[in-house]
Amino acid sequence: MAQITRKKCARHRIEFSMRPELHKIYTSYRERAKSLGLEIDFKRNFEQWFEGQLEQLGQELEDIAIDQSNKEKISAVQKSSTNFSS
C-alpha cells in the first residue's frame, strides 16, 4: 500500500506511461493530498517492485547471453568439422 508522507528532497527519477483512466484517478488523489499539505509516496513499494523486475530482467539477459554463446560455440564446432570433412 502507498504511504502518505510530508514532502522530502529530490531523488533519482524514472518516467513511465499509464492508461488515461488510471492517470485520472492518480491525479485526483494527488491533488487531494496536495490540498491537505500531503504527498502520496509510492517510492518504497515501487522500489521493491522495480528491484524485482530488474533482477528478473538481469537473469533473462544472462540466460540470453548464455544461449547465444552456446549457439556460437555450436556453430564454430560445426564449421570446423565441415572444414575437416572437406
Side-chain angles (χ1 to χ4, degrees):
M1 168 127 194
Q3 295 178 343
I4 300 174
T5 62
R6 298 277 174 204
K7 290 186 178 184
K8 296 181 183 175
C9 62
R11 295 176 50 147
H12 296 282
R13 300 193 184 275
I14 187 168
E15 186 176 317
F16 59 96
S17 300
M18 66 181 81
R19 296 184 324 267
E21 313 83 48
L22 191 59
H23 186 263
K24 184 177 179 180
I25 294 167
Y26 167 70
T27 301
S28 70
Y29 289 165
R30 186 183 66 199
E31 290 172 2
R32 186 172 183 198
K34 184 177 179 180
S35 72
L36 297 169
L38 303 170
E39 178 182 56
I40 298 172
D41 180 7
F42 288 100
K43 290 179 204 127
R44 183 174 299 128
N45 290 335
F46 178 79
E47 287 176 351
Q48 290 171 351
W49 171 81
F50 195 58
E51 184 176 14
Q53 294 296 303
L54 290 174
E55 288 173 5
Q56 182 179 346
L57 177 62
Q59 185 60 54
E60 289 178 22
L61 289 171
E62 185 63 28
D63 293 346
I64 290 169
I66 290 169
D67 187 48
Q68 287 180 352
S69 175
N70 288 340
K71 286 180 182 177
E72 289 171 3
K73 289 176 185 176
I74 290 170
S75 178
V77 168
Q78 289 173 342
K79 285 180 183 176
S80 68
S81 66
T82 304
N83 291 340
F84 287 125
S85 62
S86 298

